[in-house]
Amino acid sequence: MKLPRIRLNGSLRWQLQLWHGLLLALVLAGFAWTSWRLQRASLFARVDQELEHHAQLVIRELHPHGPNQSPPPRQPPPPDGADLGPPPELPPDQESAGLPAPPPPQPPQPPEQMEEAQLENLNPLLAKERDDQDLRKNFLYEVVWGPLERILLRSDSAPKSPLQPTAGSARSGFRIHDNLREYFEFLPSGECILVGKEMGDDFASLNRAAWILFAVGGAVLLIGLFIGWMITSGLLRPLITINHTAAKIAEGDLSQRIPMPSGENEISGLVRVLNQTFSRLETSFERQSQFTADASHELRTPISVIITHAQNALARERSSEEYRESLAACHRAAKRMQQLTESLLALVRVDQGGRGGERITCRLDQIAGDTLELLKPLADELHITLESDLKPVTCTGNPAQLAQVCNNLLENAIRYNASGGRVTLRTSREPGFSTISVEDTGRGIDPDDLPHLFERFFRVDKSRSHGSGAGLGLAITEGIVKAHGGKIEIISQLGEGSLFIVKLPG
Ligand code: ADP
């Protein structure tokens, strides 16, 4: 089976890159837009302040006595050299603003009758203002309409055909058209004042700023995408390696392992877990094939015995005694196969987590005592003395499986004992555990063999093994005990005997 491999330009990398790019572009666009809007707002705030200030100057010039006052009636021009009297006093705020003194006294004229030039000449404040503006190369212009929409005043820099504001709900306001920023105000006396400024240069510089922001933002986006691509590549590299390794394992090479990435992070944790899983998988596969080979080997012997005896019996006419012997040999071989298949079945159940039987509260001492009784004939046959010290203890478990544990341990203690030996069975209570212990005075177990004792089909000495032993008894025992949440401990002295202690929670 072939697993699909993540290609270098696989979708995950592109998806990450796409989302990263989108996010970055959004952030940059938001930043650029905000900074452009702030720049624009600050420009307008400055210009609007200038326009309002300029408008106030124009109003003050038109109505030195206040905007609510109608312009004074036109006086006849004084004769040359006539004494015009003292100059009119400045209003207090004008004085405090340090504005220049008002123009030399001129005979006031109604605005309708003033010529534009005349108005401008009468307007030193405007002239001063205009000089300042000239210095800044930003010219403010003003237009004044009379009550009959007649233009009373229009500065040179004003548009040739200025657009008169329409009297709406607002008495004053700002507007923008054709690169012009304008402030208008309708006076109570009926005039409409428009003050404006040509903002072409300002808009051009705003546009320039927008382009610079766009260019810088684009460059930052490109750099960000490149860095993102590098980071994503670095992060995904172990995943690609994992994918390649998993693909090789899926193809059958179970020895493959993923190289550990440097540093400690989520990926290295994943690699560690995967490598452990692959190791267990490999061990499990090896055990599985070893198990199959061992099981076949164990079955082959009794099958061969049956075939040989059957062939011999059928080869020629035999006496009834010979037939009986052949049948007895076939029966023994069949019994051995039966035991073997039962053991294999028990192992399968153990592998499935010890399922196959309900769990109840069991009296361990009773189960152990019953098993001891069953094995008495075998012990007698082999001249082994059985002793017991059974304290009443309970545990939750499957009685049949627990009986099998007792049986396997006792049978081994009897079979791997010397004639005249002794086997002692005990049940007792330890803090948190109910224990069954089986002690024998047999040959003991070599310390080198102890680690392999619970392996399937392991026998210390195959030639000396008792007839039915296939090396599965202790593997089944350990499986059952583990399925019950317990453990087995062995203390053994070669030539002196062994002690098997089963501890079960209870
Ligand atoms: P078997 O069915 O061959 O007895 P087991 O799994 O029960 O298989 O035992 C595995 C091996 O452990 C046995 O072959 C034997 O060599 C050794 N063994 C088990 N119990 C004892 C014991 N009480 N004393 C000495 N050796 C033992």
Side-chain angles (χ1 to χ4, degrees):
M1 186 184 69
K2 285 214 169 201
L3 286 184
R5 293 187 180 185
I6 298 173
R7 283 167 290 117
L8 212 66
N9 57 349
S11 61
L12 187 58
R13 178 182 304 214
W14 279 109
Q15 276 177 40
L16 282 173
Q17 191 65 7
L18 190 72
W19 283 110
H20 165 242
L22 267 176
L23 205 67
L24 193 61
L26 265 177
V27 169
L28 285 171
F31 177 76
W33 189 83
T34 310
S35 98
W36 186 81
R37 289 295 297 184
L38 284 174
Q39 204 172 336
R40 188 174 182 272
S42 109
L43 173 69
F44 275 118
R46 185 168 49 77
V47 171
D48 291 352
Q49 203 181 358
E50 259 179 66
L51 292 177
E52 269 185 305
H53 175 67
H54 194 73
Q56 293 314 313
L57 289 178
V58 173
I59 293 168
R60 210 175 290 157
E61 280 305 310
L62 280 176
H63 300 283
H65 304 291
N68 289 327
Q69 305 279 316
S70 295
R74 188 178 183 182
Q75 299 291 323
D80 278 353
D83 185 11
L84 294 172
E89 276 185 20
L90 271 174
D93 58 336
Q94 194 168 318
E95 267 181 349
S96 64
L99 291 168
Q106 292 279 336
Q109 296 171 16
E112 305 90 48
Q113 295 168 21
M114 289 183 196
E115 290 303 317
E116 288 172 22
Q118 273 179 303
L119 270 170
E120 279 200 55
N121 288 336
L122 281 172
N123 197 339
L125 287 175
L126 291 181
K128 163 93 173 62
E129 178 81 3
R130 186 152 301 153
D131 288 347
D132 292 348
Q133 301 297 339
D134 278 341
L135 278 176
R136 292 198 298 271
K137 293 190 177 173
N138 273 321
F139 214 65
L140 295 180
Y141 60 84
E142 62 276 338
V143 183
V144 179
W145 284 271
L148 298 172
E149 298 187 5
R150 189 181 147 241
I151 292 179
L152 303 179
L153 182 148
R154 186 172 64 79
S155 57
D156 287 344
S157 53
K160 289 284 168 265
S161 325
L163 197 63
Q164 186 182 4
T166 46
S169 55
R171 301 291 306 158
S172 64
F174 292 95
R175 66 181 191 185
I176 188 158
H177 70 95
D178 297 337
N179 285 350
L180 302 174
R181 179 69 170 171
E182 292 176 336
Y183 172 74
F184 63 87
E185 189 170 333
F186 291 94
L187 300 182
S189 51
E191 295 99 357
C192 172
I193 290 184
L194 180 80
V195 176
K197 181 177 181 179
E198 214 282 325
M199 289 186 72
D201 287 352
D202 296 304
F203 287 152
S205 74
L206 262 183
N207 274 349
R208 248 194 324 277
W211 277 110
I212 288 171
L213 281 171
F214 181 74
V216 172
V220 171
L221 179 67
L222 282 179
I223 294 169
L225 284 175
F226 176 71
I227 293 173
W229 181 265
M230 299 304 284
I231 292 172
T232 317
S233 302
L235 288 176
L236 287 183
R237 199 166 296 126
L239 286 184
I240 294 165
T241 317
I242 290 171
N243 188 270
H244 286 186
T245 311
K248 280 184 191 162
I249 288 174
E251 284 160 15
D253 185 358
L254 294 176
S255 63
Q256 288 288 328
R257 294 292 175 272
I258 305 160
M260 273 299 277
S262 56
E264 194 61 36
N265 53 26
E266 289 84 350
I267 298 279
S268 61
L270 174 71
V271 169
R272 192 175 302 111
V273 171
L274 282 174
N275 277 343
Q276 283 168 359
T277 310
F278 293 152
S279 294
R280 286 183 59 184
L281 205 66
E282 189 181 17
T283 312
S284 163
F285 261 72
E286 281 171 3
R287 277 180 62 186
Q288 196 70 37
S289 42
Q290 184 64 42
F291 180 79
T292 312
D294 288 341
S296 315
H297 183 77
E298 288 299 322
L299 282 170
R300 205 169 55 181
T301 312
I303 289 172
S304 303
V305 169
I306 291 172
I307 291 172
T308 311
H309 279 278
Q311 274 175 348
N312 282 345
L314 291 171
R316 59 183 170 83
E317 202 62 40
R318 305 275 177 184
S319 66
S320 55
E321 188 60 31
E322 285 172 323
Y323 281 129
R324 191 170 287 116
E325 273 177 28
S326 293
L327 278 174
C330 287
H331 181 250
R332 278 196 304 276
K335 283 270 301 174
R336 184 164 168 72
M337 283 201 294
Q338 186 190 27
Q339 282 172 351
L340 195 66
T341 47
E342 275 169 8
S343 295
L344 290 174
L345 260 174
L347 266 181
V348 169
R349 285 197 203 103
V350 162
D351 284 345
Q352 287 169 347
R355 290 197 299 270
E358 56 168 337
R359 300 244 169 132
I360 54 169
T361 306
C362 311
R363 283 282 300 271
L364 276 184
D365 52 313
Q366 286 176 2
I367 293 173
D370 291 349
T371 315
L372 194 74
E373 282 303 314
L374 282 174
L375 288 170
K376 227 172 172 74
L378 179 69
D380 290 343
E381 189 189 320
L382 297 173
H383 308 291
I384 306 292
T385 312
L386 293 182
E387 291 176 358
S388 63
D389 175 13
L390 303 175
K391 301 224 166 53
V393 282
T394 56
C395 91
T396 307
N398 182 277
Q401 288 182 336
L402 293 173
Q404 192 168 7
V405 168
C406 292
N407 184 77
N408 289 355
L409 294 179
L410 277 171
E411 194 176 334
N412 280 350
I414 295 167
R415 287 194 188 276
Y416 299 113
N417 215 322
S419 179
R422 199 177 58 251
V423 172
T424 312
L425 175 67
R426 296 186 189 90
T427 55
S428 61
R429 173 116 205 113
E430 274 182 26
F433 290 108
S434 298
T435 62
I436 311 168
S437 66
V438 180
E439 190 175 6
D440 65 68
T441 54
R443 63 187 191 217
I445 302 160
D446 193 318
D448 291 343
D449 293 327
L450 278 177
H452 308 287
L453 218 58
F454 297 108
E455 286 173 11
R456 292 165 187 200
F457 295 105
F458 176 81
R459 283 172 296 193
V460 171
D461 184 353
K462 297 202 178 200
S463 59
R464 286 180 62 194
S465 186
H466 61 82
S468 60
L472 292 175
L474 285 181
I476 295 168
T477 304
E478 190 199 32
I480 293 172
V481 171
K482 278 190 173 169
H484 281 73
K487 57 185 176 182
I488 305 184
E489 290 168 4
I490 309 171
I491 302 166
S492 185
Q493 194 73 40
L494 207 56
E496 289 186 16
S498 311
L499 171 64
F500 286 75
I501 307 167
V502 174
K503 294 186 174 183
L504 295 163

